[in-house]
Amino acid sequence: MNVKTTSTFRAISKTRSTNLFRSLRYIYNTSKLDATPTTEHTPSSSSSSATNPVPPPLSSISNGASTSKQIRITAKYSLKLHPKFGKNQNLPIDHEFNERLRKLLNNFHAPIRYAIAYGSGVFPQKGYNYDENKPMIDFIFAVGHTQHWHSLNINQNRKHYSYLGTLGSGAVTMLQENLGAGVYYNPYVKIDDMMIKYGVVSIDKMCKDLLNWETLYLAGRMHKPVKILKDDPRVRLAQQVNLASALRTALLLLPKDFTEEILYTTISSLSYKGDFRTYFGENPNKIKNVVSKQMKQFNLLYGGLIQGLPTVNFVANGMLQQDDSPKAKAQMIQKLPRVLKHKIQEEHRMVLASKGIQWPIGLKEIVFRPTLSQSLKGILTAGLSKSVKYTSSKIGKWISRPQ
């Protein structure tokens, strides 16, 4: 790739990122989304309030706006957060396994800005026999410019791609960006004696989904425990907003009194509403299997955020209680992600606060189309043989599920 082409990629990335950085800067300056991990259920006076303000129009943010002492935007639009901001996202796993996962990233010469590992291969789930069948490890790589990344990766790892790789990075990127949720997956890739599946996504698209829930494809996966292998301050900030949004949405769906496990089960189920795979090809007990084995990780993710909300309190024996008045619900709704709030307001414009909320139809509308098209795209990106293998494993789990 010549110097002129490289400069063009950088210019495009810089232009696309400018507006997103301004929105992120506004959110960080006007909110307190930090959450201190806790295993205690006692209120903490030092906990920060978990708010999620909607950014104003970009035109209203002046170029010379002052920034917080905790944040710095450089001329290259890099974002610097306080070292302790979002530390609840840094979930512990076995040290040796963690080093293996981090080392695996070195096998990719194309630059990765943000990387997570997730799923049953990283965090335990009920119902898996890990001695007999080791699950495939799932990764998501957020990159600065997808076509540039695929160009480098195809040159290095052509075998990771289906026949689409022969068409070049332009064709791969066009399919990635125009179908599904903007993620391109390469499954059944063996690296360092580990079978992995990795998805590639634009870092801007990831942040937009975390902030606005445009598809809930990435945001929904990151409602549940994930292991951060390579961090990026923009994603860390957007993810903190995403976690706060998931907590608020779940609270709107729950009664006045509920258990901590029910709260985390509700949060985990948000992105499955409208997902056609829950009706065929996915273990219907998957949500319960995830939560029951990962209560500690969920508490680390959400414990500080729960304590930061004035309308929710831990009571006793894993029970929580919230203010379920129409006023409290209405205030919560105003802080939901933009896309979900708009869909809910369309459905319940006149009776939203007075009659409470049933399951938001908006979640199903957000999730259904991206998950369906993303799954169909998988046939092209993975190739026929890998798609059949992956689908067969899913159907096998669905058939062998406990009745």
Side-chain angles (χ1 to χ4, degrees):
M1 182 173 292
N2 57 38
V3 175
K4 183 178 180 181
T5 306
T6 304
S7 299
T8 302
F9 279 133
R10 289 175 178 171
I12 293 173
S13 298
K14 182 175 179 179
T15 301
R16 289 179 175 177
S17 299
T18 302
N19 289 348
L20 180 62
F21 273 121
R22 289 178 178 174
S23 294
L24 288 172
R25 179 175 64 183
Y26 175 82
I27 292 173
Y28 188 80
N29 288 344
T30 57
S31 63
K32 296 179 181 178
L33 290 165
D34 196 10
T36 303
T38 177
T39 55
E40 300 290 337
H41 293 341
T42 55
S44 172
S45 59
S46 61
S47 297
S48 300
S49 176
T51 59
N52 178 16
V54 179
L58 294 174
S59 59
S60 67
I61 304 176
S62 62
N63 293 331
S66 61
T67 57
S68 168
K69 292 181 179 179
Q70 292 184 328
I71 184 172
R72 178 168 59 87
I73 306 292
T74 70
K76 293 184 179 180
Y77 301 106
S78 61
L79 184 68
K80 186 174 182 180
L81 303 176
H82 189 279
K84 293 185 178 181
F85 181 87
K87 65 181 181 179
N88 56 309
Q89 300 174 30
N90 189 20
L91 301 178
I93 61 173
D94 177 75
H95 177 72
E96 183 179 348
F97 183 48
N98 181 50
E99 291 304 310
R100 287 186 65 197
L101 295 179
R102 289 182 182 276
K103 184 180 178 181
L104 183 141
L105 300 182
N106 296 330
N107 288 278
F108 294 89
H109 297 166
I112 298 171
R113 304 286 295 276
Y114 178 85
I116 58 172
Y118 66 98
S120 58
V122 181
F123 295 99
Q125 292 183 18
K126 184 180 178 181
Y128 272 91
N129 189 331
Y130 288 92
D131 295 327
E132 295 182 1
N133 185 23
K134 292 184 178 180
M136 184 164 52
I137 300 176
D138 298 326
F139 293 84
I140 291 179
F141 302 154
V143 303
H145 194 281
T146 51
Q147 185 172 349
H148 185 197
W149 197 92
H150 285 301
S151 176
L152 296 174
N153 198 47
I154 288 173
N155 288 333
Q156 180 198 358
N157 300 307
R158 171 63 187 88
K159 292 183 179 180
H160 293 186
Y161 292 78
S162 66
Y163 68 91
L164 283 174
T166 61
L167 302 179
S169 60
V172 170
T173 304
M174 183 177 68
L175 181 67
Q176 173 179 339
E177 298 293 340
N178 295 300
L179 187 64
V183 186
Y184 189 100
Y185 276 105
N186 283 326
Y188 294 103
V189 175
K190 193 169 185 179
I191 300 179
D192 296 342
D193 297 326
M194 287 190 290
M195 188 66 70
I196 73 168
K197 176 182 73 174
Y198 66 91
V200 182
V201 64
S202 158
I203 196 168
D204 285 350
K205 186 174 287 291
M206 171 179 272
C207 288
K208 288 177 181 177
D209 196 42
L210 294 175
L211 292 171
N212 299 322
W213 288 14
E214 293 180 349
T215 67
L216 257 179
Y217 192 85
L218 294 171
R221 276 156 179 72
M222 295 174 71
H223 289 165
K224 298 174 280 292
V226 301
K227 180 56 186 176
I228 300 173
L229 302 175
K230 189 169 185 179
D231 203 1
D232 181 276
R234 289 174 295 167
V235 182
R236 196 193 325 163
L237 173 55
Q239 168 64 349
Q240 201 72 350
V241 176
N242 180 44
L243 294 175
S245 297
L247 176 58
R248 291 193 181 94
T249 305
L251 290 172
L252 285 167
L253 301 172
L254 291 171
K256 184 174 183 178
D257 299 288
F258 51 91
T259 66
E260 191 175 4
E261 185 172 0
I262 289 176
L263 172 62
Y264 300 148
T265 301
T266 305
I267 289 174
S268 299
S269 68
L270 295 178
S271 61
Y272 285 97
K273 297 300 174 181
D275 189 340
F276 76 98
R277 294 172 299 176
T278 58
Y279 303 101
F280 183 75
E282 193 69 82
N283 187 344
N285 298 315
K286 182 173 183 176
I287 298 172
K288 292 181 180 179
N289 292 344
V290 169
V291 175
S292 63
K293 281 288 188 177
Q294 299 176 26
M295 282 292 293
K296 180 180 179 180
Q297 288 84 1
F298 273 101
N299 178 261
L300 290 172
L301 267 182
Y302 291 100
L305 291 173
I306 294 170
Q307 292 182 5
L309 285 177
T311 58
V312 188
N313 292 297
F314 285 104
V315 284
N317 300 322
M319 291 294 298
L320 293 93
Q321 188 176 84
Q322 67 167 323
D323 180 359
D324 62 347
S325 66
K327 180 180 179 181
K329 287 181 177 289
Q331 291 175 343
M332 199 93 71
I333 290 167
Q334 291 305 312
K335 296 177 182 179
L336 292 179
R338 175 180 57 81
V339 175
L340 177 60
K341 184 173 69 172
H342 176 70
K343 290 183 179 295
I344 292 177
Q345 287 175 336
E346 285 182 340
E347 295 291 332
H348 307 281
R349 187 174 298 275
M350 301 302 295
V351 293
L352 196 58
S354 61
K355 292 188 177 181
I357 293 184
Q358 302 301 317
W359 190 276
I361 298 176
L363 282 175
K364 297 181 180 180
E365 293 176 347
I366 294 170
V367 171
F368 178 74
R369 183 175 295 179
T371 54
L372 177 60
S373 55
Q374 183 72 39
S375 296
L376 294 174
K377 182 171 69 176
I379 299 174
L380 299 174
T381 61
L384 183 60
S385 60
K386 287 184 178 179
S387 295
V388 171
K389 182 178 180 181
Y390 184 75
T391 303
S392 299
S393 68
K394 288 290 186 180
I395 293 175
K397 294 177 184 177
W398 184 77
I399 294 174
S400 62
R401 72 194 188 280
Q403 299 295 328

